[in-house]
Amino acid sequence: MTDTSAKLTVGDKTIDLPVMAGTTGPDVVDIRKLYGQTGMFTYDPGFTSTASCESALTFIDGEEGVLLHRGYPIGQLAEHSSFMEVSYLLLNGELPDAETLANFETTITRHTMLHEQLMTFYRGFRRDAHPMAIMCGVVGALSAFYHDSTDIADPVQRKIASHRLIAKMPTIAAMAYKYSVGQPFMYPDNKLSYTGNFLKMTFGVPAEEYEVIPAVEKAMDRIFILHADHEQNASTSTVRLAGSSGANPFACIAAGIACLWGPAHGGANEAALNMLREIGTPDRIQHYIDRAKDKNDPFRLMGFGHRVYKNYDPRATVMQKTVREVFDALKVTDPVFETALRLEEIALSDPYFAEKKLFPNVDFYSGIILSAIGFPTTMFTALFALARTVGWVAQWNEMISDPGQKIGRPRQRYTGPTERDYVPVEKR
Ligand code: CMC
């Protein structure tokens, strides 16, 4: 904490509010005593200027386009690390040595199977159910199957629940896909890596051997790294808020999945590729740029803009590079990539996007890669949920481990009627 304070004057009364510093990034004004001292609340719909918690996991400098996990730049992690290593880092604070990493991978691998009875749960869904609808339901239902890891006061149970969630998400997501195409569910193959196993459970069939293509496995793993955590975004804040009441971890992550589904958040990857396909050819781009700028048209450029980044999203830089790598590895191409590159170029040279500091975000290029790998657009957000699960559980653990943790309970500016007397129906 710094020794500075902020002064707030309301009428003839001035109060001192402590200013607290983080290790980097903006200081925060501690307003916890504001109501007691002034009878007033702060007002910040959408939390544009509100730090809701203290966290040591992820740092973003939106002006500079910087993203650090436990201090390590996302570009370095995407280049040199693996999703399992980043998961360990987020959960434990430090990079593991080789033996610790191997043990962590074994632990996660040993939790990849789903309770067999959950198959029946899947069969209750329509075949055309959106994978995110299935994810919300199945992940929430895990609390009915794993009672031995729902005591949030027990750190060992919290750890087991966290490992279970990280390990079972690929199985849950792959089964959602298999169900939608009417193919048999594939059991996990513990000889494979986390990501290789996911690809096999998604694209393999029991009748044939499945060969994991190393370049695809690497690209997919990198996509998981890029989505692993993003400090207090909407779904993570949802997980924290749900967890603050003492709800069990499976229920909290199901809440996070529900929030992620929205097109302003994780649903944007699906919406972005649909938009690019609708635009089709570069000659049609200007029409969509004009629509995005028109205040009377609800259309927005999907995969563009961010609450925190007022610069290029560093994850989009890596994503764009990965598109080319995957095309080369699979010897495919997709005209939609040319459209995306041209759209970015036109948007970035347009004063509307420059003045509002709207740049491509993580969702702009990811769909092109996922589509080349073979995923239908409806699976894109489910893959985001799979990868973000580690961030959600790490943030949830951080919150529950904090001895000063309180239930999250925002206040409001009331604008409804003031007190009035009930009027019997015959007199209305
Ligand atoms: N296209 C056109 N105009 C936009 C866009 C866009 N994609 N994004 C923001 N704007 C405009 C917006 O109309 C507003 O203009 P004005 O100040 O004249 O009213 C201004 O820019 C600020 O936008 P905002 O909605 O007030 O900003 P926000 O911080 O509340 O919203 C956002 C951030 C990500 C929801 C928004 O940029 C958006 O809807 N983008 C498209 C959806 C998207 O790509 N979401 C993925 C975000 S990154 C991954 C994730 O979080 O899951």
Side-chain angles (χ1 to χ4, degrees), residues 28-87:
V28 299
V29 181
D30 179 356
I31 51 107
R32 281 175 289 184
K33 298 224 164 73
L34 182 71
Y35 180 64
Q37 292 182 353
T38 65
M40 294 170 84
F41 300 135
T42 56
Y43 181 61
D44 185 18
F47 306 117
T48 54
S49 297
T50 296
S52 62
C53 64
E54 215 173 82
S55 180
L57 267 89
T58 294
F59 173 75
I60 303 174
D61 181 338
E63 304 301 321
E64 297 297 323
V66 170
L67 167 61
L68 312 175
H69 290 319
R70 303 282 193 185
Y72 296 103
I74 190 66
Q76 290 183 24
L77 294 172
E79 184 73 27
H80 305 296
S81 189
S82 67
F83 180 65
M84 277 295 93
E85 189 175 60
V86 171
S87 298

Side-chain angles (χ1 to χ4, degrees), residues 17-30:
L17 295 166
V19 173
M20 301 163 80
T23 48
T24 182
D27 294 350
V28 299
V29 181
D30 179 356

Side-chain angles (χ1 to χ4, degrees), residues 24 39 57 73 95 148 166 197 217 241 252 343 370 373 409 423:
T24 182
L57 267 89
L95 286 169
D148 58 342
I166 295 165
N197 174 48
E217 184 182 16
L241 199 55
C252 295
L343 174 60
L370 296 174
I373 293 175
R409 176 51 170 100
V423 181

Side-chain angles (χ1 to χ4, degrees), residues 48 230 233-234 260 262-269 272 292-293 295 299-310 313 315 352-353 356 358 361-364 384 388:
T48 54
H230 213 229
N233 58 86
L260 186 77
H265 192 8
N269 55 11
K293 287 158 54 177
K295 284 280 155 240
F299 175 78
R300 283 187 168 199
L301 279 192
M302 300 314 284
F304 251 78
H306 200 274
R307 167 62 62 78
V308 182
Y309 292 118
K310 301 301 164 204
D313 180 339
R315 302 167 300 173
Y352 173 93
F353 293 89
K356 295 186 191 304
L358 301 170
N361 60 48
V362 68
D363 293 320
F364 191 62
F384 194 155
R388 183 55 56 86

Side-chain angles (χ1 to χ4, degrees), residues 215-253:
V216 172
E217 184 182 16
K218 189 161 175 260
M220 197 69 235
D221 200 72
R222 188 181 288 162
I223 290 175
F224 289 161
I225 293 174
L226 295 177
H227 287 94
D229 191 46
H230 213 229
E231 52 117 301
Q232 307 313 318
N233 58 86
S235 57
T236 301
S237 298
T238 301
V239 169
R240 279 187 178 257
L241 199 55
S244 78
S245 72
N248 75 68
F250 305 106
C252 295
I253 301 307

